[in-house]
Amino acid sequence: MENQQTSLINSPDYKRSRKAYTMECAFEYFVALLVSDAYLSSLLSNMGISHGTIGIISSLISLAFLFQLFSIYAVKKIANVKRAAIIFHFASQLFFMSLFLIPFLPFATKYKTVIVIFCTLAAYFGNYLVTSVIFKWGMSFVDTRKRASFSATKEMISLILGMIFTVTVGYFVDRFAEAGDPKGGFIFIACAMLGSSLLDLSCLLLMKKPAAPPPETQSEPIRLVLRKLSKNKSFICLCMIGMLMYTSTYMTSGFLGIYKTSDLAFTVGEVQIINTVGVLFRFAISKPLGRFSDKTSHATGLLVGVTMLSVSFLLNVFCAPSTRWMIYVYSLLNNGAMAATGQNFLNITFDYVDNRYFVQATSIKSALSGVCGFLASLVGAQILSYVQANGNSFLGIALRGQQLLSAISFVLTVLLLIFILLNPYLKKQKN
């Protein structure tokens, strides 16, 4: 059986599919980069949207994880996984691209804000409806004993190409801004996103059609699946970890893009240099962390990531206009944390949940985490507005709202660390 599995893994179709999936993740990453951080903040700021609202819109990604709940039902109805994944995924990327065309509409800011929110939610709906399906499809071509290492390699390729891509785009966007034509930069970004989306589509087309799920899985009632998952204590713990991790992250992250370009006075190009420094660090440690997780456990790898996340928020508390260089340190540690938490938080689901219920489990875990993340961003927006209304001070202490939010995130990540360390249901790893 093992020799048969090895032969299958090394077959031409599987090799081609692994390469296509690796590149698909890279092109998808390109689009994700252009609808985050300084790019999105500059777009929304150009439309006259307030800082608090920008932070909320930037955090819609967390609320959009709710859309993964639809995949619980969709996975039982989808007859052709490849076709459905291609249609919804490509449509979502076109909606992302349309965001950068909204400034050209002849509408008032309040109407443009509504259109931005609609396009963002539509994009994330299409994306997250099939994201678990695509992940399971892509990882089905990988040796089960090398998932973390493969994920690390895949991520490293995305990171290094994404670094080159965003620095290039940032350079041209800054040139348009210097020429007094910021909207020209938006057109350039839209074209870059369209090109990336078409390449992403090509990669999905090259992947081998996934095998049909077992008949017993297709016929199993959803309520029975949910009942089984609700009795899985390890899975419940994963949900709790995700909820707390997303709460701590989105309490702060959605407001940092505008913080860099406004309070810290960095240009879009300079922000990309900051991000590049962080990405290089993430690139350097992704493979070692992948091997480390394969040898120990995904839970241990996750613990390393949360530790780095906690320290990054602590240091960001001290990042102000006079010490703006500290954003580089934050970027290093935050990217390092993502290298450890990103793939481990996905792969760890394989460790504790029956493979037949992977899509449902991932959808529930992501949805619960996303709701907590979005609610955290709403609270964060109120705190930011309060601090700004009081002349950038809190309890008589001079500080920016983002510094206070970072302090709150630090406390939450410390609580998360304690929870993971003392949890008896996150010790075993399948091989």
Side-chain angles (χ1 to χ4, degrees):
M1 178 65 73
E2 186 174 347
N3 290 335
Q4 184 180 358
Q5 179 67 19
T6 301
S7 178
L8 189 61
I9 290 295
N10 293 327
S11 67
D13 281 348
Y14 271 53
K15 287 182 178 179
R16 185 192 70 244
S17 297
R18 283 197 298 273
K19 291 176 182 178
Y21 177 53
T22 297
M23 293 311 299
E24 185 275 330
C25 290
F27 296 128
E28 180 185 31
Y29 181 56
F30 290 178
V31 175
L33 287 171
L34 295 180
V35 289
S36 63
D37 206 49
Y39 290 115
L40 183 62
S41 297
S42 296
L43 171 70
L44 301 180
S45 181
N46 181 270
M47 287 188 276
I49 299 175
S50 69
H51 288 195
T53 304
I54 288 174
I56 293 174
I57 293 174
S58 299
S59 300
L60 280 176
I61 182 175
S62 61
L63 181 64
F65 280 122
L66 269 176
F67 296 139
Q68 280 195 300
L69 288 176
F70 288 99
S71 66
I72 295 178
Y73 299 91
V75 72
K76 294 173 65 65
K77 303 295 183 181
I78 294 175
N80 189 322
V81 170
K82 183 171 182 175
R83 180 173 59 196
I86 287 172
I87 291 173
F88 284 102
H89 191 63
F90 185 64
S92 74
Q93 294 187 319
L94 293 182
F95 271 111
F96 278 133
M97 182 194 71
S98 69
L99 289 173
F100 289 88
L101 303 179
I102 294 174
F104 299 92
L105 297 177
F107 301 137
T109 297
K110 61 179 180 180
Y111 297 116
K112 289 182 179 179
T113 303
V114 173
I115 297 173
V116 165
I117 293 174
F118 171 79
C119 288
T120 302
L121 290 176
Y124 282 126
F125 174 78
N127 185 45
Y128 286 115
L129 183 66
V130 294
T131 189
S132 297
V133 173
I134 293 176
F135 178 78
K136 184 180 180 182
W137 174 22
M139 295 300 286
S140 69
F141 305 113
V142 181
D143 188 333
T144 57
R145 297 164 298 181
K146 299 178 180 179
R147 281 181 179 143
S149 296
F150 173 81
S151 297
T153 299
K154 175 170 62 68
E155 181 176 77
M156 289 169 70
I157 292 172
S158 294
L159 291 175
I160 197 68
L161 294 179
M163 178 188 67
I164 297 170
F165 178 75
T166 54
V167 169
T168 302
V169 173
Y171 171 81
F172 284 105
V173 169
D174 279 350
R175 297 295 77 77
F176 278 108
E178 290 172 1
D181 183 23
K183 290 186 177 180
F186 298 152
I187 292 291
F188 182 82
I189 292 173
C191 291
M193 294 179 76
L194 178 60
S196 299
S197 300
L198 291 172
L199 290 170
D200 186 308
L201 175 63
S202 300
C203 291
L204 290 174
L205 290 170
L206 286 171
M207 288 170 63
K208 176 181 170 64
K209 186 177 179 179
E216 64 271 16
T217 302
Q218 291 182 316
S219 60
E220 194 165 4
I222 293 176
R223 64 178 180 277
L224 181 59
V225 175
L226 296 178
R227 188 179 303 130
K228 289 181 178 179
L229 290 175
S230 66
K231 293 179 180 179
N232 185 332
K233 293 182 179 180
S234 294
F235 173 67
I236 297 301
C237 289
L238 292 183
C239 290
M240 295 175 68
I241 289 171
M243 292 163 69
L244 193 50
M245 185 163 64
Y246 274 63
T247 298
S248 61
T249 298
Y250 285 96
M251 176 67 67
T252 301
S253 64
F255 306 96
L256 291 181
I258 193 64
Y259 187 55
K260 294 171 188 174
T261 57
S262 179
D263 296 66
L264 302 184
F266 287 110
T267 67
V268 172
E270 288 172 335
V271 171
Q272 297 319 307
I273 293 174
I274 294 170
N275 293 340
T276 297
V277 172
V279 165
L280 284 172
F281 181 65
R282 182 175 177 179
F283 177 85
I285 68 173
S286 285
K287 195 71 174 181
L289 283 174
R291 294 196 188 100
F292 174 75
S293 296
D294 278 333
K295 291 180 179 178
T296 55
S297 71
H298 296 128
T300 305
L302 186 62
L303 181 64
V304 172
V306 174
T307 301
M308 296 177 72
L309 186 65
S310 179
V311 177
S312 75
F313 284 129
L314 175 61
L315 295 179
N316 205 47
V317 173
F318 304 99
C319 181
S322 60
T323 56
R324 68 176 195 161
W325 58 269
M326 289 196 72
I327 201 69
Y328 281 94
V329 184
Y330 167 82
S331 182
L332 281 172
L333 291 171
N334 194 263
N335 274 275
M338 287 191 288
T341 60
Q343 294 301 330
N344 277 311
F345 196 53
L346 275 173
N347 286 322
I348 198 173
T349 310
F350 283 115
D351 296 340
Y352 305 112
V353 176
D354 190 314
N355 185 57
R356 293 174 297 169
Y357 313 129
F358 176 82
V359 172
Q360 295 93 328
T362 302
S363 300
I364 293 170
K365 178 163 62 76
S366 297
L368 292 173
S369 301
V371 169
C372 290
F374 185 70
L375 292 176
S377 74
L378 295 180
V379 174
Q382 294 300 313
I383 294 173
L384 178 63
S385 297
Y386 175 82
V387 173
Q388 290 179 336
N390 284 275
N392 288 324
S393 66
F394 179 73
L395 299 178
I397 303 172
L399 82 170
R400 261 63 176 182
Q402 285 85 349
Q403 293 175 276
L404 179 58
L405 295 177
S406 294
I408 296 172
S409 293
F410 167 68
V411 173
L412 292 173
T413 50
V414 169
L415 294 175
L416 177 55
L417 278 172
I418 295 172
F419 179 78
I420 295 175
L421 283 169
L422 301 181
N423 200 302
Y425 300 107
L426 301 175
K427 304 300 181 184
K428 183 180 178 182
Q429 170 146 327
K430 294 180 181 179
N431 292 314

